Amino acid sequence: MQRKRLKNINKEKKDILLSAIGEIIHEKREKIGKGILLHSYEYDLSSSSLSLIEKGQRDPQITTLWKIVNSLDMDFLDFIELLIQKLPKDFKMTDD
């Protein structure tokens, strides 16, 4: 059953999710007024990875996402709430 669900992950839906994650990170980083290079340096993040995540072109590991969210002085649950608001209503990664 779990394996079948993983196969149903739609690339388009994944792209929507990654784009929303990237938009939130980019908006929050811009709000605190730091460029990618400075922000990455200060929080020991890869600037190239952060750039790709902000563009929705890289799927971050949960630990990386947690570190980025914390570097933006956000609580992870607040980030998830913003993400839910940014996604289309009733968004699901799998088809029922």
Side-chain angles (χ1 to χ4, degrees):
M1 176 92 167
Q2 179 72 6
R3 186 174 215 136
K4 184 178 180 182
R5 284 187 164 227
L6 290 175
K7 288 183 180 181
N8 288 336
I9 293 177
N10 183 311
K11 181 178 177 354
E12 183 179 320
K13 290 179 181 181
K14 182 177 178 180
D15 290 345
I16 291 169
L17 179 63
L18 294 179
S19 178
I21 289 169
E23 286 175 24
I24 294 168
I25 292 169
H26 179 77
E27 289 167 5
K28 293 295 181 180
R29 184 183 52 75
E30 290 284 313
K31 188 174 181 179
I32 61 175
K34 290 190 181 170
I36 286 180
L37 291 176
L38 178 60
H39 192 83
S40 298
Y41 176 77
E42 288 180 346
Y43 293 97
D44 194 28
L45 300 164
S46 163
S47 59
S48 60
S49 291
L50 182 57
S51 177
L52 291 171
I53 291 167
E54 285 188 6
K55 293 175 186 175
Q57 298 174 348
R58 175 165 286 169
D59 190 349
Q61 293 181 336
I62 191 73
T63 53
T64 302
L65 186 57
W66 196 290
K67 187 175 183 179
I68 292 169
V69 168
N70 283 213
S71 78
L72 298 168
D73 201 26
M74 293 181 69
D75 181 76
F76 198 76
L77 290 177
D78 292 337
F79 176 82
I80 297 300
E81 287 178 11
L82 283 174
L83 182 58
I84 290 168
Q85 292 172 13
K86 193 168 271 296
L87 292 170
K89 186 176 175 144
D90 300 325
F91 179 82
K92 294 181 179 180
M93 286 296 292
T94 58
D95 297 323
D96 293 336

